[in-house]
Amino acid sequence: MEPEGERERERERERLLHTQRLKAAVHYTVGCLCQEVAEDKGIQFSKQTIAAISEITFRQCENFAKDLEMFARHGKRTVINSEDVKLLARRSNSLLRYITQKSEELALNNLEQKERKKKKSSAAKGRQTSDEQVEAAMAESEQEFLIWGHRVLKLPGSNNRRI
């Protein structure tokens, strides 16, 4: 059996590698976006500028993650939901509208999937009203809220619940 200190060092190495991969992905994405803007606007971005934008973006994402965690904890929850994301986006009307729209689309998709499953299952007991179905779909969408196409938000100590 490994000593506790060795396990802790290994966890720290894994965390560092994970952070480095995330930073590299952010840097690559920022570089691609800067290249698109450069082509559209006929300007150039220096490597230092791209690196600075990447670092600021990464730090802002870390701040967003911490804020989302605090919002969920304030609500005495271990899972970040769509309401937390909306609260985070409250200062940007266009982002808030976009997130609200995507959340509603997800809820409707969940509702449609449930309706298809109900049609397949003729032995369903106790029909729900359509309002109850929409509420159930919205609640489910909060747990499966997607950001940029990825399930990305999970709090430590959440007992491996999907979000």
Side-chain angles (χ1 to χ4, degrees), residues 36-47:
E36 285 180 29
V37 170
E39 290 170 2
D40 285 348
K41 305 293 181 187
I43 58 173
Q44 293 295 315
F45 290 90
S46 70
K47 288 181 181 182

Side-chain angles (χ1 to χ4, degrees), residues 94-153:
S94 60
L95 181 59
L96 181 58
R97 278 193 303 274
Y98 179 80
I99 290 171
T100 301
Q101 175 190 354
K102 291 299 178 185
S103 178
E104 290 169 358
E105 287 174 14
L106 185 59
L108 288 175
N109 287 340
N110 286 341
L111 179 60
E112 290 170 1
Q113 287 177 354
K114 284 186 175 187
E115 287 177 0
R116 283 192 290 260
K117 286 180 183 177
K118 276 189 176 182
K119 287 179 183 176
K120 289 181 181 178
S121 171
S122 60
K125 294 180 183 179
R127 300 279 178 203
Q128 288 181 321
T129 66
S130 63
D131 286 344
E132 290 171 331
Q133 289 173 336
V134 169
E135 285 178 22
M138 286 294 286
E140 187 172 310
S141 73
E142 288 178 352
Q143 292 184 356
E144 295 181 3
F145 190 75
L146 301 176
I147 297 180
W148 299 294
H150 299 283
R151 287 189 176 109
V152 294
L153 302 173

Side-chain angles (χ1 to χ4, degrees), residues 47-89:
K47 288 181 181 182
Q48 294 85 359
T49 301
I50 293 170
I53 293 170
S54 298
E55 184 62 27
I56 290 168
T57 301
F58 189 83
R59 286 184 187 178
Q60 188 61 47
C61 288
E62 286 180 319
N63 290 335
F64 287 162
K66 289 174 186 173
D67 287 348
L68 289 167
E69 184 177 353
M70 290 299 112
F71 295 158
R73 285 194 179 159
H74 180 75
K76 296 178 178 37
R77 292 177 278 107
T78 59
V79 176
I80 293 169
N81 63 29
S82 62
E83 293 305 313
D84 297 325
V85 177
K86 290 176 189 175
L87 183 59
L88 182 71

